[in-house]
Amino acid sequence: MTDRIVGARLHYEDSQTLERFLATGGDQGLRKALLELTPQEVADQVTTANLLGRGGAGFEAGRKWSMLRKAPRRYLVINGDESEPATFKDHLLVENDPHQLVEGATIAAYAIEASFVVIYLRGEFALGLERVQQAINEAYARNALGRSIFGSSFSVDIVLQPGAGAYICGEETSLIESLEGKRGFPRIKPPYFPAVIGLYGEPTIVNNVETVSNLPWIVQHGGEAFKELGQGRSTGTRLFALSGQVRRPGPYEVEMTKITFRDLIFDQEYGQGLDPGRELLAFIPGGVSAPWFFPEHLDIPLGQDEVAKAGSMLGSGSVIVMDDSSCPVRSAWRIARFFARESCGQCTPCREGGAWIDKILRRIEEGEGRESDLDLLLDLCDNISPGIKWPPAQTTICVLGPSIPPSVNAAIQHFRDDFLIHIKEGRCPHA
Amino acid sequence: MARFSDEMLSRAEELVALYPDPRSATIPLCHLAQEQDGYVTNEAMAHIAELVGSTAAEVQGTASFYDMLKLEPVGRYVIGVCTNIACMLRGAYELLENAEEVLDVPVGATTQDGLFTLEEVECIAHCDQAPAAQVNYRYFGPLDRQSFESLVSKLRSGELNEEVPPHGTLIRIRREAPAVIPMEEIDRNRAGEAE
Amino acid sequence: MPDELVAVTFDGHSLQARKGVKLIDALDDAGINVPRFCYHPRMSAVGMCRMCLVEVKGPRGVSLQPSCYIDVADGMEVFTESDAVKKAQHGVLEFLLANHPLDCPVCDKGGECPLQDQAFAHGSGETRFVEEKRHYAKPIPISRLIKLDRERCIQCDRCTRFADEVAGEPLIDFAGRGGTLRISTFSNVDFDSYFSGNVAQICPVGALTTTPYRFKARPWDLIQSASTCTQCDMGCQVSLQSSQNELTRMLGIDSDAINHSWLCDRGRFSTSEVNNVEHRVTRPRLKDQDGTVDVSWTKALRAAASTIKRAIDERGASAVAVLSGTSLTLEDTYAWAKLASDVVRTNAVDGAADVRIDGSLLLENPASINEALAARRLVLFNVDPKNELPVLHLRLRAAIRAGLRVVEVNAVPTDLTAIVDRWIPIDPGNLGTTIDSVVAALDGDLDDVVVMAGCRDRALGASLNTALLGELLSRVPRAKVLSGIAHGTNALAVGFAPSAPRGIRSISGVEPSMNADSIVAAALRGEIAVLVALDSDLMGLGLTEDELVSLSERTTVIALSSFESATTRHATIVLPMSAFGEQQGSTLNIEWRHLRLGRQVEPVGQARSAWMVATELASMLGDELGFMTLADITRELAQSGGILSGLGLHYFSERLDGPLFPLSRKEEIRMQRVLDPMATPGVASIERQGANFAAGNVVEPSESPGFAVGMGETPKSLPSAKSSAVARVIELEPLSEGEHWLSLVPRLYDSSPELLANPFLKLAIREPVLVVAPAVAEELGLEDGGHCRLVGAGSAEVTVRHAKDQTLFLALHGVTPATQQLLGDQSWVKVRVEKSNG
Ligand SMILES: Cc1cc2nc3c(=O)[nH]c(=O)nc-3n(C[C@H](O)[C@H](O)[C@H](O)COP(=O)(O)O)c2cc1C
Ligand code: SF4
Ligand code: FES
C-alpha cells in the first residue's frame, strides 16, 4: 500500500484516534484555511489541484463548487453511502481516519460557505458511524467545529446521518431525498445538479468521502503540489479497491496514471497476481456499472481519460478480477440481480427490465435457457439504454438503469459460447 | 412497549432537533425504534409520524424502502452473508450454504430460539476480506465453514456482546456536542462579513 | 394576459408553442399525441412511467427526454415519430405489460384503459415474458369506497401524488422498493378522505376501483351527459353516466374555472342515493284518519290546492309558508318563488335556511373563484371550505402552494389553518377588535383583496355575521366578494329567501320577510296553517320529532320530496320529486356562474320536477305562472332585469360551464380538458357524445359570439349593501356564571335524509363531537371520549374530545337535528354543560 495523501495515516494501528491525528498533521489544513485563506482562495486551490470527484462520476470538485447557485443558505452533504459492489475505500477511510474526513468536510464547508453539513454514511457502517460521531464530538470539544472555529469568524454544524440500506441512496439526489426523510427516489433532471436545487430546495454540494478527505492535504501543500502528481486531468492519488480472484485483494493508494491495470493486478506491491495455474478471464475497471475489460486491456494506465477512451470508466475505483475458474454467465447474472434488487422502482424500464433480465439470466444459469434469450436480453438492454453504448444513453431518470446493460452485454459479446453451452448442454464449462 | 419509551423519546427528540426540518430525522428514528423493539413496529411508525410531522403511511413508505429497517420481528442477531460479485468469486454461495446448515434455517428465516436471522445481502464494502458477512452490521471475513461456526458459537455464548450489540447497533452513536447553531445566526454572520 | 409564444419545430413542422408549458402539453396543443401514463396536467410532473419519451435536439445531439417533464423552450426541435422514439415507447409498454395481469375481460377498467388501448395499438401481440408474474393478494379494500388490486398497478404515482399534493392527506403511499414497489395504506388505517374517489378516477389502469361502481357496468354500455354536481354550490362539472336507466357513475370534468377535474366523495357517490329506491318517495300519498293512502297526482294536487286556498281565505296568505331545501334547480326555485309571491302572496318563504348573512353583501362586487385564487390577498371569512365546499379546499390548497396569501377569520380553526398566512380568531369576548386584526393582517395591501364570506359557524347569528362582514367590507372598500355559502345560491338569485340581496327581484308581489326560524316558531305556535316543505326536512331546522308530530297535527304539512324523511313520515300530503340526474335544468354556483344540469335517467316512480308541480298548483289555485317549458322560465329570467338578465342556454353550446352573472363581469376563458384523456380514453368525451341537452330547451340557438366581455345588460343598480350594513359590530352580552360560548360547525357527512339514503356514505356519518380546551375540560371534569349534555335553547348529548391546543370555545363539530336544537335567536349561542349520567 502506498501511503500518500488520503491513506497517509492508515499504516498506524491507532490511525482513528485523535492523538494520532493531531500527531500527524491533523487540523493543520483546517487552521490554514480558516486563519490564512479566504473561502475563494481555498476553492481556487482545489480548482488548481483539478481534484476529480471520487464518488464515481469524476466531476471536478472545484468546477462543481463554482456552479453553486447564489443563495443565502447553502448546504454541504458528504456522500459516504458507498454501496457500489466491490467498492470499499470509503469504508476504510471512515473507520480508520474519521478525523481527516471531518476536517476535510469542514474545509469544504468553509470554501463553499455552507450553513450546515451532513455526513451521510451507509447505515451498515456501524463501526464507522461510531468513529465518525466520536470524531465530530471531539472536534466540537476542541472548537474545530461549531461556533467561531479556531477563533475565526466561521461557524458550522456537522450532523451525522446513517443510511438504512439502499444502494440507490448513493446517487446524490436520492441521497438528498433520503436525508429529507423520504424513500430514496432519485430526482428527475433538470435541474441537473443539486448545486442549483438540493437539500430542502436550497443549493447543495454533494461530495464523496474520499474527495473531501483530500482537502486537508491540498490546503496544506497547495493545489499545485497535488496537480504535480498524476498527469492530464487525472491528478493526485486514488485509493483503488482491488477485489475478486487475485491473491492479495485490498485498497491501494496510487498516483493516478502512473501504473497500469497489469501492475495493479500482478505486481508484488499490489495484487500479486492470480492463483497458480489460473488465467485472467476478465476484469471490471471501475465498479459493476462499468463495461468489462479483458486481458488485452491490461496495459491501460489507471487514469480517468485513459480508461474512458478504451470504452469503460474508472468509476468508484474498484477493480474486480475474474479468473478462468469463474463463470461469466453467473457473474453477469449476479451483477444484474444486484441492480434488480436495488432499483428504486420509479422508472418502468429499470424496475421491470432489471427484474426481467435477472430472471432470464438465472434461467440460463440453471440450464433452462433458450437460444432466443440472448437476443431478447440484448433487446431488453437496448430498451433500457438505447444503443448499449458507453457512456450510456438512457430511458430512465438516473443511471442505475443504464448500469444494467454493460455486464450483460460484455458477457454475451465475449462469452457467447459459454452461454450456448449453458443453454444447449445445461452445464457450466467452468464448473 | 412499542411507542418510544421515555428514555428513547428523549433520544428521539435530540435527533429531531438536529435538523432544519424534523422529517430528516425519520430514518434515524426508525433505527432507534428498531433498537428498542428489535424491529420497527406499527406503533413506533405512528409515533415517529407524530414526532416528525408526517403520516404513518409516509413513515411506512420510507421505512419499507430500506433493507436495514425490518417491519417484522427478526432474531437478536441478523447475520448477512454477502454474495455479491467480489464475495461470490471467492466462495460466498458456499459460505451461505454452510451458514444454512450451521444455523439450520433457510435464508430469510430466524432460528427457533429467536437468536439468529440469516440473510443474503448485497455488497457490504468488505470485499478485501471476501467472503464476508455482517452480524448486526459488524463485519467479519474472510469466513469459511469453520470460522463461521466459531463466530456463531461466540455469539451464542455472549463472548462478542461488547463488539456486537444486540438488535442493531446505532444506539451507541450519540452526538455530545452542544446544541446546533441556529442557521439564521450563520446566515447573519455571513451577511455581516460580506458587507 | 395572452400567452407568450415561442418558436418550435415538432416533427419537422415549424410551429408556435405557449411559453413555459410542458413539452407534452405543447405537443397536445399541436395535435401530436404522445402516449403517457403518469402525467396529469393538474399535478406536478414526476416522469416515472417513461412512456412519453421523445427525441429532443440539444447541444450534444439528439437524446430521449420525457416530454411530460421538460419545459418547452424557444428553438426546441422535437421528434416524436423517429425509430428511436417508437422503439423506446414500445419497450416501455412491453415492460409495463410484463407483470400486468391479462385479465381485461374481468377488469373494471376494460374498455377505457389506456394500457389496453396502447397494447392494442402498439403491442406486438405476443409476449416475450415467459417468467412468473408478480403476485399480490387480489383486491383489498383500502377504505369503504376504494379497492386496490396491486397486480394491475403500474406505479404511476398518480394516486399517491393526488393524496399528498392535491388533498394534503398522504394516507396512501408507495411501500417497498424496485420490483416490490406497491401502493399501501398504513396497516389497518383506511384511506379515509373526503376526496378518495379521485384516485380511482385518475388511476390509468384497473388498480383502484370504487366499491359503488365495481362491476356495475362496462364503459361501452354507458351513456353520459355533462352536468353539475349539486351537493354544494361549488358547481363541480361532471360527466354523469348511466346504464339501463340507472345512474352508474359520476366523473369530474376538468373545468378550468371550477373543479379542475376533482370531485369530493359526497358528490361523486351521490348517485348511489338517487338509485336507492327504498329511500325515495315514489308516489303521491295522502294521510287521513284511516292512515296513509297512495293517490293519483291529480288527487294529491287537488288536495294541496284546496288546503292552501282554504288557509289563504280563512287565515290570510301569511298562514301559508314555504320552506325549501337546497337541491332545487334554478328553474324549480324560480317557479316556486313566483308561485309564493304572485299566486299565494305570502311573505313566509325561505329557500336558503342556512344562509345567515345578508345576501346583498355577496353580490355587490362579486369575484369569481379564479379571481379569488389569483388575488394578492384572500380573506376567508367564516367559511370552512373542506367541509362546506370541498373541492374549493383543493383549489385553495393548490393556490396556497403556488403562493396565494390567505388570511383566515374563523371562530374555530379549519384544515386550512395550518397553511394559511394568518389566522384571526373571532372571539365573542372581544368582538370589537376582530376586524381591526383582519385589516392589520392585510399589511396595508388593500387593493387586490377578495373576501370569501360565508356562515359556517351556526352559533353566530345572522345579524352579527352580517355586521362583522359589513364592517370588514367598509374597511376594505375595493374588496371583491366571493360567496362562501354552501347552499342556497339559486334561492338568493331569484329572491326566494329573506336573506336574498335586496332589489334583485322583479317578480311582482310580496317579498319574503319571515325566515326559516321564525316560520318554524310560528308553526309551533299554531300560526301557520299550511307548511310546504320543498325537499326540506324540518328536522334539520332544530325540531325534535315530538315537536314535528305536534306541529303536523295543527298544520297541514305538504312535503314535495325526493327522499323519505321524518317530514315525509308525518306530512299530510306527500309528493314525489325527481332527484339529481333525473331532470333537466340549470343552477348557479358560488360565483354566480350559470351551469347546466343534465337529465340522465327517468325519474323513479311518479316523481316530477318541482317547477312542474308549481305550475300545476298555480293553475289549480286559479292562476297561471305563465310557463309550459323550462325554456319559458329561462326566457322570463333573462328578461327579468335581475342579476340573471341575459340568461340563456346557448352559452352551453360553446363551453360546458356557462357565464358569470351579472353578464357584465369579465372573464378570461382558458382551455379546458373534458375528461382526463389518459384515465378514461375509452369513454368518449362529453363533446363527442353531445351534451344531451334537448334542442327544444335551448332558448336562442347559439347566436351570441361568446361571453368574455360584458354581454347583456348590467342589472339596474342595486342599493348599496355596505352602507346599510351595521357599521360597527355590536358588543355581546358577557357570559354569566356557568355559561360558555358555543361554536357549532358543520361537517361534510352530517346526517341528512339524502346521506342516510346513501348505502355507502351513510357509514361515514359520525356522532357530533365537542372539542374542548384541556383547561376547560379539567374545570368541567370532562374526560376525553366521555359524554356530556349541552343545554342552550334545547339540549343535546354529545361526545367529548380534548383539543390539542387552547380553544376559546366549546367547539361542537357536527350539525344534526339534535345539535341544531341548541341554537336560539341570539347573536351568539351560549350553553351550559351538564355531566351526563350516560
Ligand atoms: C446509482 C448510483 C450510485 C452512486 N453511489 C455513490 C456512492 O455510494 N458514493 C458516492 O460518493 N457517490 C455515488 N454516486 C455518485 C453520486 O451521485 C455523486 O456523483 C457523488 O457523490 C459526487 O461526489 P464527488 O463529486 O465527490 O465524486 C452514485 C451514483 C449513482 C448514479
Ligand atoms: S433508473 Fe432505476 S434506480 Fe434510477 S431512478 Fe429509475 S428506477 Fe430508480
Ligand atoms: S414519464 Fe412522462 S408521462 Fe410518465
Side-chain angles (χ1 to χ4, degrees), chain A residues 168 186 343-347 350 396-398 400-401:
Chain A
I168 192 60
S343 164
C344 80
Q346 281 189 95
C347 313
C350 173
T396 53
I397 292 172
C398 86
L400 187 148

Side-chain angles (χ1 to χ4, degrees), chain B residues 66-89:
Chain B
Y66 297 94
D67 291 340
M68 286 177 77
L69 301 175
K70 311 294 182 193
L71 305 190
E72 303 286 337
V74 288
R76 182 183 167 99
Y77 298 107
V78 179
I79 302 183
V81 175
C82 171
T83 60
N84 205 305
I85 182 88
C87 284
M88 181 189 91
L89 290 168

Side-chain angles (χ1 to χ4, degrees), chain A residues 183 188 348 352 379 382-383, chain C residues 49 69 87 99 128 173:
Chain A
R183 73 181 70 79
I188 187 155
T348 308
E352 304 296 337
D379 192 48
D382 186 74
N383 286 340
Chain C
C49 74
Y69 194 78
K87 173 132 199 327
N99 274 297
R128 300 194 287 178
D173 200 356

Side-chain angles (χ1 to χ4, degrees), chain A residues 53-55 64 79 82-83 167 170-172 206-208 211 399:
Chain A
R54 304 311 200 215
K64 190 191 278 189
N79 187 345
E82 189 172 64
S83 315
Y167 164 68
E171 196 278 342
E172 57 194 3
V206 181
N207 270 140
N208 169 262
T211 311
V399 295

Side-chain angles (χ1 to χ4, degrees), chain C residues 474-524:
Chain C
S474 63
R475 299 272 297 273
V476 191
R478 283 178 299 280
K480 288 187 156 193
V481 176
L482 175 62
S483 157
I485 63 164
H487 302 280
T489 308
N490 288 338
L492 296 192
V494 300
F496 189 46
S499 49
R502 269 147 291 154
I504 64 161
R505 285 164 34 102
S506 65
I507 314 168
S508 59
V510 189
E511 297 229 346
S513 58
M514 282 175 84
N515 69 11
D517 289 340
S518 47
I519 292 170
V520 169
L524 284 172

Side-chain angles (χ1 to χ4, degrees), chain A residues 58-314:
Chain A
F59 199 86
E60 297 90 337
R63 189 147 78 96
K64 190 191 278 189
W65 293 358
S66 72
M67 288 162 31
L68 205 54
R69 177 167 60 90
K70 293 270 169 280
R73 184 163 298 173
R74 302 154 158 212
Y75 296 108
L76 171 67
V77 176
I78 307 302
N79 187 345
D81 193 52
E82 189 172 64
S83 315
E84 177 78 20
T87 310
F88 50 92
K89 59 180 182 88
D90 296 342
H91 184 203
L92 187 79
L93 292 175
V94 298
E95 274 186 12
N96 295 319
D97 204 345
H99 294 281
Q100 173 176 265
L101 168 62
V102 174
E103 184 183 358
T106 315
I107 294 173
Y110 177 68
I112 64 169
E113 302 185 74
S115 319
F116 180 72
V117 181
V118 178
I119 300 183
Y120 185 108
L121 285 195
R122 184 173 177 174
E124 288 93 336
F125 290 166
L127 185 61
L129 282 156
E130 269 183 38
R131 289 185 172 171
V132 173
Q133 185 63 64
Q134 190 177 349
I136 291 173
N137 291 346
E138 288 168 349
Y140 276 105
R142 66 175 191 284
N143 191 219
L145 264 184
R147 283 199 169 79
S148 306
I149 298 172
F150 295 148
S152 72
S153 62
F154 181 65
S155 308
V156 77
D157 270 323
I158 296 189
V159 165
L160 178 66
Q161 173 89 345
Y167 164 68
I168 192 60
C169 291
E171 196 278 342
E172 57 194 3
T173 59
S174 165
L175 187 152
I176 287 171
E177 288 281 299
S178 170
L179 193 45
E180 291 179 357
K182 304 178 204 150
R183 73 181 70 79
F185 274 2
R187 292 181 181 171
I188 187 155
K189 289 94 192 159
Y192 291 96
F193 292 98
V196 181
I197 296 175
L199 185 60
Y200 312 129
E202 304 291 343
T204 302
I205 289 294
V206 181
N207 270 140
N208 169 262
V209 163
E210 186 187 347
T211 311
V212 295
S213 291
N214 278 294
L215 298 179
W217 194 96
I218 292 176
V219 171
Q220 268 189 78
H221 300 85
E224 279 298 336
F226 192 83
K227 198 176 149 192
E228 269 163 30
L229 301 169
Q231 71 182 34
R233 289 206 314 134
S234 302
T235 58
T237 64
R238 259 196 97 154
L239 203 45
F240 286 95
L242 181 64
S243 69
Q245 293 166 312
V246 284
R247 292 177 60 199
R248 206 172 67 123
Y252 300 104
E253 185 176 0
V254 300
E255 192 178 333
M256 286 183 85
T257 70
K258 289 298 153 69
I259 67 167
T260 64
F261 286 102
R262 186 186 301 282
D263 300 333
L264 183 69
I265 296 170
F266 291 96
D267 231 66
Q268 276 311 303
E269 211 182 317
Y270 310 111
Q272 299 181 351
L274 313 181
D275 280 345
R278 288 293 159 206
E279 298 275 327
L280 182 67
L281 191 73
F283 63 99
I284 315 180
V288 296
S289 313
W292 296 6
F293 272 174
F294 304 97
E296 67 261 32
H297 296 105
L298 275 172
D299 294 315
I300 295 173
L302 298 175
Q304 178 143 317
D305 293 340
E306 291 77 356
V307 174
K309 219 166 67 200
S312 188
M313 67 163 178
L314 213 44

